[in-house]
Amino acid sequence: MIELSFAPSARFVRRLSLGAVVSAGLVMTAMTPAEAAKTTLTLGMSVEPTGLDPTIAAPVAIGQVTWQNVFEGLVTIDQAGKIQPQLAKNWKVSADGLTYTFKLQAGVKFHNGEAFDAASAKFSLDRARGADSVNPQKRFFASIASIDTPDAETLVLHLSAPTGSLIYWLGWPASVMVAPKTAADDKTTPVGTGPFKFASWAKGDKVELEKNADYWDKDAAAKLDKVTFRFIADPQAQAAALKSGDLDAFPEFAAPELMTSFDGDARVVTSIGNTELKVVAGMNNAKKPFDDKRVRQALMMAIDRKTVIDGAWSGLGTPIGSHYTPNDPGYQDMTGVLPYDVEKAKALLAEAGYPNGFSFTIKSPQMAYAPRSAEVMQAMFAEIGVTMTIEPTEFPAKWVQDIMKDRNFDMTIVAHAEPLDIDIYGRDPYYFNYKNPAFNALMQKVQETADPAAQSAIYGEAQKILAEDVPALYLFVMPKLGVWDKKLKGLWENEPIPSNVLSGVSWKE
Amino acid sequence: MIALLARRLSGLLVTLLIVSLLIFAVMDLLPGDPASIMLGTSASPETLAALHHDLGLDQPLILRYGQWLAGVVSGNLGQSYTYGVPVAGLIVERLAVTLPLALMAVVLSVMIAVPLGVLAASRRGGIFDIIATLFSQISIAVPAFWVALLLIILFSTMLGLMPAGGFPGWSAGVLPALQALVMPAVALAMPQAGVLTRVARSAVLDTMHEDFARTAVAKGLSRSAVLWRHIVPNALIPILTMIGLQFTFLIAGAVLVENVFNLPGLGRLALQALSQRDIIVMQDVVLFFAALVIVMNFIVDLSYLAIDPRMRKAA
């Protein structure tokens, strides 16, 4: 009886399980094509942008959401850091370098239906350079004296002085083209010509973009239908969101010490690329004892950059000897100019009149790299008898006030994010209080030539001056720590300009 | 009774006015200028001046205070410098996360702490007492963000049962939204439950030695009847006070947990506004927190009257 009653049920169970396996298999085969066609992307960023208009505020997070996705420029900067035509098909520069004539793409429409033409290009540039402009890079447009629009597809810029960097600057987030009718609302509802349209912004959480079906450039059209930028500040939370599959990608992961935690995770790949973020310890060159070049050189020689990188950024980063990154045109390795040499550093200090060292304070912002670097430097300076006190300084508010505005500091440490910003040492006023006519002359020469090779040579000389003069201690270039799904293709590994360019991104099996 | 309410209400308004003045003064003393933060390190002095004018920061202090106050009274909280949207909307959006989170945490904390505290007190030195003491010591000592991390590691990363963070929004449905709040609420509730257990235990112990408790026992009432009908209701006042305090604390103090779980709550709004010197958002949020504390205290006071007839007579 018992056996009889069991037999059919066992058979039933077997059949049932067979059926389950078969149907599961069917479901899976049915699902595979659906999965391959995944067309959405959820991407993580550490910092939420403040507003979405890169032409009225500086934070890099704004461009990292909107640049090349929502907004485009007359020209763009590609993965290799090279200038490429975009809304301008081509351009001509007059022999004296004072007239730029752009031929614009025809048939381009903004997301609101307005046409992009010479008139809206003129509007965008006038808005950026006008008297009421709050463009963070207004200086880019300072040499534009007037703008002509002989026809809808031609834009002519008349300059007051040759500006060799103008084309490069026109590729920046701050120089994008905006729609005249809606420009005032770009802060909350950005309207551009890009491959993605703005969809929604849940403040504090995410920004959503959707594919622009009417995009003008068929070759660069979006492959994804929907992109969600999620903002996660805490590095542990970033790692958890990636591991649990809540996020598909984190192109700029914030914690190098957690990178190895993805090692055994078959779903994701990690990538270590370059950025433009130069971590430098700037000194107040107008203040004793930093007004003495020998003192600055001694401090530089007291630092073993490799150890700083190990201590501050888990060994991930590239040492630099000047304010320049391997991404930049004409890069030269300057780390050998003032190499780590404790004895020589001590001798230089003695020569400068500080045989027993001195004491000073470093104002260190709270971003992880800064206090960690400062602590390593503190120990190294102690080796040459220099006592450095670390004063935590809230970034950006207090830091901008103390360092940029009041110049009330001895030394500070910060990652400079702007690409190709070696000219900050020629700016007056700027926080280093560095004044070197020879350097300024080089910066002027860069603007007087539009020839890339000549510019590279001048940048080489400028790097040499900084490497020897060390107005700031040059430490390292931050790596771009990318973590993303193995099937995701097309994200930039390097970052020649802060961005998340998504038009070439897609899912592959 | 009505006179008491009127007195309390006018006191409440005066307090809020003083608080608003203090907030404004403190914000003005904070180092850092919102315009230079927005424009970054390359901005020229003229651009800065243009933005100052746009934001109304070039007006005299007293005028700005007056405008802010007039706005708040008429229900216009102003516009965020950095987000460029009305602050009132921002606060409401964030409250839709923080308020349910705080409520869940309070309910959880009460559900754990009150029975545990009462049982611990009624069997002093017994097994419940030991459990309660251990529980409250551990949960007070362990920081909420650490509990949060442990929960994420266990339930999200290892088991894959829960979202690791983020908030789908109430529009995605009540269930997904609640699911996103469960772990943060547990993390938030733990230390609160520890404190509340202690308060409940000592309140019940104190009440046990009151004359009416002894009388009730002498009358021959059962142990549990004495406990639940006579002692617990009389011990409710300190417990309620603590719950009221905790609720305001949870709303204002959820910053760390909101950060770990990446929840777009009010705490994170305040933190972000502070770092960006979005002064108008800061002023409004801090004023809101202050108003919340004041109003909560007012409600707790009123609830005393509801619970304890002696207080009604005194009033």
Side-chain angles (χ1 to χ4, degrees):
Chain A
M1 277 296 280
I2 292 165
E3 264 195 303
L4 271 175
S5 70
F6 255 95
S9 87
R11 222 173 18 238
F12 178 68
V13 168
R14 254 201 317 272
R15 251 186 234 157
L16 198 70
S17 53
L18 190 70
V21 167
V22 170
S23 53
L26 282 174
V27 169
M28 271 159 70
T29 37
M31 267 174 66
T32 314
E35 262 184 332
K38 183 167 177 180
T39 55
T40 62
L41 171 68
T42 307
L43 183 139
M45 276 173 58
S46 297
V47 181
E48 178 175 28
T50 51
L52 295 174
D53 184 349
T55 68
I56 61 164
V60 291
I62 302 174
Q64 284 177 325
V65 172
T66 59
W67 185 74
Q68 292 304 304
N69 297 326
V70 176
F71 291 114
E72 296 178 309
L74 291 173
V75 300
T76 184
I77 292 161
D78 69 8
Q79 270 194 74
K82 296 255 177 336
I83 301 161
Q84 301 293 350
Q86 194 162 52
L87 293 172
K89 275 189 277 198
N90 54 57
W91 56 91
K92 265 198 214 96
V93 186
S94 64
D96 60 2
L98 292 176
T99 309
Y100 283 61
T101 308
F102 293 91
K103 275 286 162 204
L104 306 180
Q105 297 283 356
V108 176
K109 279 198 165 26
F110 286 102
H111 303 147
N112 65 355
E114 264 184 272
F116 167 77
D117 54 17
S120 47
K122 178 174 162 36
F123 169 86
S124 298
L125 292 175
D126 281 343
R127 176 173 172 262
R129 71 195 188 96
D132 306 332
S133 161
V134 293
N135 191 298
Q137 306 290 357
K138 196 176 166 185
R139 65 193 179 90
F140 286 179
F141 318 103
S143 65
I144 301 177
S146 65
I147 303 175
D148 282 339
T149 56
D151 61 65
E153 286 167 31
T154 311
L155 181 77
V156 185
L157 306 184
H158 300 284
L159 308 191
S160 53
T163 312
S165 300
L166 182 67
I167 292 288
Y168 176 71
W169 286 338
L170 286 175
W172 274 48
S175 311
V176 293
M177 296 291 115
V178 295
K181 279 188 194 141
T182 49
D185 303 324
D186 281 345
K187 192 172 187 179
T188 48
T189 48
V191 168
T193 56
F196 291 95
K197 291 189 288 189
F198 169 77
S200 70
W201 182 9
K203 302 200 178 49
D205 189 24
K206 61 185 175 214
V207 168
E208 290 179 314
L209 307 181
E210 61 194 23
K211 184 179 183 158
N212 172 15
D214 304 322
Y215 185 57
W216 60 275
D217 184 359
K218 293 293 163 254
D219 296 334
K223 298 183 176 89
L224 299 164
D225 288 334
K226 200 181 131 198
V227 175
T228 306
F229 288 89
R230 275 188 53 196
F231 311 113
I232 304 180
D234 185 83
Q236 294 283 355
Q238 294 173 1
L242 277 164
K243 284 177 189 163
S244 64
D246 291 358
L247 288 180
D248 300 316
F250 217 108
E252 248 186 300
F253 188 66
E257 64 277 15
L258 293 176
M259 278 300 271
T260 48
S261 72
F262 298 105
D263 283 356
D265 191 330
R267 199 181 63 85
V268 299
V269 288
T270 55
S271 138
I272 295 168
N274 286 321
T275 67
E276 281 292 319
L277 288 153
K278 298 151 286 259
V279 179
V280 308
M283 288 165 282
N284 192 342
N285 285 246
K287 203 172 166 184
K288 267 188 182 320
F290 306 102
D291 57 347
D292 190 328
K293 178 170 149 181
R294 290 166 299 184
V295 170
R296 302 196 300 266
Q297 289 179 329
L299 293 178
M300 189 71 255
M301 295 189 94
I303 290 175
D304 178 19
R305 295 178 178 93
K306 181 77 185 60
T307 309
V308 173
I309 298 171
D310 286 346
W313 225 233
S314 300
L316 302 167
T318 312
I320 45 168
S322 170
H323 198 95
Y324 222 65
T325 82
N327 285 338
D328 300 332
Y331 170 76
Q332 294 181 23
D333 185 352
M334 293 285 167
T335 49
V337 177
L338 295 172
Y340 177 53
D341 188 334
V342 175
E343 289 316 311
K344 228 169 177 179
K346 279 185 188 160
L348 273 169
L349 267 193
E351 203 187 310
Y354 300 94
N356 302 315
F358 58 92
S359 299
F360 72 98
T361 299
I362 186 170
K363 290 197 172 174
S364 156
Q366 74 275 23
M367 291 83 81
Y369 65 85
R372 291 185 202 160
S373 302
E375 278 159 26
V376 178
M377 284 160 61
Q378 190 178 42
M380 288 171 169
F381 290 154
E383 294 281 307
I384 59 164
V386 171
T387 309
M388 180 173 86
T389 309
I390 301 173
E391 184 183 316
T393 306
E394 183 204 357
F395 189 92
K398 179 110 168 55
W399 189 88
V400 169
Q401 183 75 40
D402 282 6
I403 281 105
M404 297 297 295
K405 277 189 136 171
D406 299 345
R407 310 283 164 76
N408 172 23
F409 75 107
D410 302 327
M411 186 187 278
T412 184
I413 180 167
V414 79
H416 281 264
E418 288 183 3
L420 216 60
D421 60 350
I422 192 168
D423 68 321
I424 55 178
Y425 297 90
R427 266 182 227 169
D428 192 16
Y430 206 71
Y431 77 89
F432 307 113
N433 284 329
Y434 176 65
K435 290 182 177 64
N436 183 343
F439 186 85
N440 294 358
L442 287 177
M443 290 301 109
Q444 173 111 27
K445 252 171 82 181
V446 168
Q447 297 312 330
E448 283 163 4
T449 171
D451 172 34
Q455 284 190 342
S456 290
I458 300 167
Y459 279 130
E461 286 179 58
Q463 289 170 63
K464 215 165 285 166
I465 291 183
L466 292 186
E468 271 163 27
D469 244 7
V470 276
L473 306 177
Y474 300 107
L475 302 174
F476 64 98
V477 177
M478 284 212 168
K480 178 175 159 108
L481 304 177
V483 186
W484 49 74
D485 194 296
K486 239 184 3 203
K487 294 176 194 149
L488 198 62
K489 308 289 171 203
L491 283 167
W492 286 15
E493 288 191 7
N494 294 322
E495 196 169 67
I497 183 163
S499 58
N500 285 302
V501 180
L502 297 175
S503 63
V505 175
S506 64
W507 290 93
K508 295 235 164 54
E509 268 312 298
Chain B
M1 184 75 184
I2 289 172
L4 174 90
L5 276 181
R7 220 168 37 234
R8 280 284 165 86
L9 267 174
S10 58
L12 193 148
L13 287 177
V14 171
T15 317
L16 272 176
L17 193 72
I18 295 170
V19 166
S20 77
L21 200 62
L22 273 174
I23 292 170
F24 195 84
V26 169
M27 292 299 155
D28 197 65
L29 286 176
L30 270 183
D33 163 30
S36 43
I37 293 169
M38 282 166 75
L39 291 178
T41 53
S42 290
S44 66
E46 303 87 74
T47 321
L48 264 177
L51 187 57
H52 270 225
H53 181 74
D54 278 7
L55 298 178
L57 288 170
D58 53 350
Q59 289 170 341
L61 203 60
I62 185 76
L63 198 68
R64 276 164 45 211
Y65 175 68
Q67 281 170 345
W68 175 53
L69 201 65
V72 169
V73 170
S74 66
N76 173 14
L77 298 185
Q79 199 153 36
S80 157
Y81 294 159
T82 54
Y83 278 134
V85 295
V87 185
L90 276 178
I91 292 183
V92 169
E93 273 173 32
R94 299 306 181 96
L95 269 180
V97 179
T98 302
L99 207 60
L101 175 64
L103 264 174
M104 274 170 87
V106 165
V107 169
L108 259 172
S109 144
V110 169
M111 274 168 33
I112 299 169
V114 172
L116 198 58
V118 171
L119 283 173
S122 68
R123 291 177 173 74
R124 197 175 177 185
I127 183 77
F128 276 112
D129 202 12
I130 293 167
I131 292 173
T133 312
L134 259 177
F135 168 76
S136 65
Q137 267 172 2
I138 292 173
S139 59
I140 292 168
V142 173
F145 73 89
W146 195 70
V147 176
L149 282 176
L150 288 187
L151 289 172
I152 292 176
I153 291 172
L154 182 63
F155 290 103
S156 307
T157 318
M158 287 168 68
L159 298 175
L161 291 174
M162 292 291 221
F167 189 68
W170 292 101
S171 56
V174 176
L175 222 60
L178 283 180
Q179 199 191 11
L181 293 180
V182 169
M183 290 203 302
V186 170
L188 261 181
M190 290 301 280
Q192 307 298 326
V195 175
L196 197 59
T197 306
R198 282 196 179 175
V199 171
R201 179 179 175 274
S202 65
V204 171
L205 279 178
D206 286 350
T207 322
M208 270 179 179
H209 300 122
E210 299 264 347
D211 292 341
F212 66 81
R214 211 176 310 145
T215 311
V217 175
K219 270 199 316 195
L221 281 178
S222 75
R223 216 185 136 84
S224 73
V226 175
L227 185 64
W228 294 107
R229 290 224 313 264
H230 292 272
I231 294 175
V232 172
N234 281 292
L236 270 181
I237 293 226
I239 296 176
L240 266 181
T241 311
M242 183 46 77
I243 294 173
L245 278 175
Q246 285 189 342
F247 186 69
T248 48
F249 175 84
L250 285 175
I251 292 222
V255 184
L256 275 177
V257 167
E258 281 176 0
N259 223 23
V260 174
F261 284 99
N262 200 43
L263 293 173
L266 208 53
R268 266 189 49 214
L269 178 68
L271 201 68
Q272 191 181 19
L274 177 68
S275 74
Q276 295 295 331
R277 293 294 188 270
D278 196 340
I279 295 187
I280 192 91
V281 173
M282 277 308 289
Q283 286 169 355
D284 289 340
V285 172
V286 177
L287 186 68
F288 175 80
F289 285 152
L292 192 76
V293 172
I294 294 167
V295 170
M296 266 319 280
N297 281 338
F298 181 65
I299 293 172
V300 169
D301 281 356
L302 287 187
S303 66
Y304 292 166
L305 299 180
I307 296 169
D308 197 334
R310 284 170 302 183
M311 291 201 171
R312 254 176 309 208
K313 287 228 179 69

